[in-house]
Amino acid sequence: MKPGRVVLLVLGSLFALLGVGLLIGSGSLSWAIATQRDSDGFFTTSSQRFATSSYAITSRKVDLGRPGTNDWWSREDVGTVRFRVTAAEGQKLFVAVGPQGQVENYLQGVPHDEVSDIRMRPFRPTYLPQHTTGTNTPAVPDGQSFWVAKASGPGTQTLSWNLKGGQWAVVVMNADGSRNVAADVQAGLKVRFLPGIAAGLLGGGLAALLLGVILIVAGTVKSSSPPPVAMSSGLPAPAPGHLASDQMVGNGSASAGYPPLRFDGHLDPNLSRWKWLVKWFLAIPHFLVLAFLWIAFSVLTVVAFFAILFTGQYPRSIFDFNVGVLRWTWRVNFYATNVLGTDRYPPFSLADADYPARLDVAYPQHLSRGLVLIKSWLLALPHLILVGLLTTTWSFTNRNGTRFGLNGGFLQLLVIIAAVVLLFTGRYPQGMFNLLMGLNRWMFRVIVYVALMTDVYPPFHLDQGPAEPTGGPRPLPPPAPSQATPDPDFAHQS
């Protein structure tokens, strides 16, 4: 696949993901607008008891930015807060909002409690460990002139205030300024323009998704292929870069229960004792590129799902790209993470290369339109559980409460053991290598099945060793020891 088409696929996948994210945001916001607001348009908390033996309960400083009328959101009254405060035991309450500095001056030397934090679900206040001490008695709060919004009286009092720039504090007191304040408080927030924001997210999401689809389609337009090359077996050649579905040993891999995957890895005989310590660092450029390629892989698999559902065919250009991502991933895994079987640096390419780790998948001429609905999650579930047990991160906690983890589970444990043996003996254990190849082969068979690239169900057995077993797809020839040479039995991708 040409680099320009790869760029289009990656960009298209990113725009498509952005579009999906914006659509999810629009849907979530629309749901909240429709179901989570009261009849007055406020998002409200539950009622919670606030109580203190001192003279007042205050919030910490609420910083709403620069004071004045220059903030657009202040001018437009974007938000309104509402407090509903119910007095306990028949007392008269006072609730107000005022400038934080003037509230501090008013309560200077007056014992009071300050709310340090509020949990929303459930609505619950957290106070500072000790209330502010002093010997002063506050003046009657309703007689102060600095409040910007206030309410007082018996029963339930409602205070509404349009948000303004500045630094503010919310105060709850007894109306006569006495001790022992107790009140049930419910808070609410109304945000204007939410329907417009939801509509904007919807429009932006549809536009980004449409652009992503256009880029993906542009990147997957099938180019003309070169004439097929004759195979060494005398059978017709597959399309460039992939096995043909009839290029299997015996009576066919599918009928024998093998997925149409050729998955090989050949252990280098002269591995460095220590280079495995830095391979993960050397492979960082590959990890970065693969992160974007796997985003494209995921999005294109969704596109392929609908294509299979309606046509019974996997779009060939998407198939070529996804096989290239698997091929690239396997080379990096073999080099740096899952095997450590070679010191040769992997090429930056989606195409096949003369490398110790090689992979190819037979292109299916037809796929079941019914199986595509269930094979990725329902039918593959037993395999996903087993592969998950082999590759899931392990974590342990010692008596001191310190947690230790091992990314990659059993597979990575085997890799570490093999690396340590290599470090001290200079030899990679052949049995360990064969087992790791079997585990990786199983994992990639499951990936191919879950990615909808075949209807052949993966077998429940471990095929160890560097090459595919007898009865499976023909094994790939070992890599050349020097410069890459054309392989007549493994056609290069266009």
Side-chain angles (χ1 to χ4, degrees), residues 150-168:
K150 63 181 181 178
S152 64
T156 299
Q157 299 298 313
T158 300
L159 168 68
S160 296
W161 177 60
N162 292 338
L163 297 175
K164 300 291 183 182
Q167 297 176 344
W168 310 98

Side-chain angles (χ1 to χ4, degrees), residues 332-358:
V332 175
N333 286 357
F334 189 83
Y335 170 77
T337 58
N338 287 11
V339 181
L340 306 177
T342 182
D343 291 338
R344 291 173 57 184
Y345 197 71
F348 287 83
S349 174
L350 295 171
D352 177 52
D354 184 28
Y355 191 75
R358 301 174 73 183

Side-chain angles (χ1 to χ4, degrees), residues 315-327:
R316 186 54 184 268
S317 295
I318 296 179
F319 191 89
D320 290 347
F321 175 82
N322 284 356
V323 171
V325 175
L326 294 178
R327 183 181 290 131

Side-chain angles (χ1 to χ4, degrees), residues 85-106:
V85 182
T86 303
E89 302 175 357
Q91 294 183 348
K92 293 183 179 181
L93 283 177
F94 175 84
V95 56
V97 176
Q100 190 262 342
Q102 297 188 53
V103 171
E104 283 188 351
N105 292 334
Y106 168 63

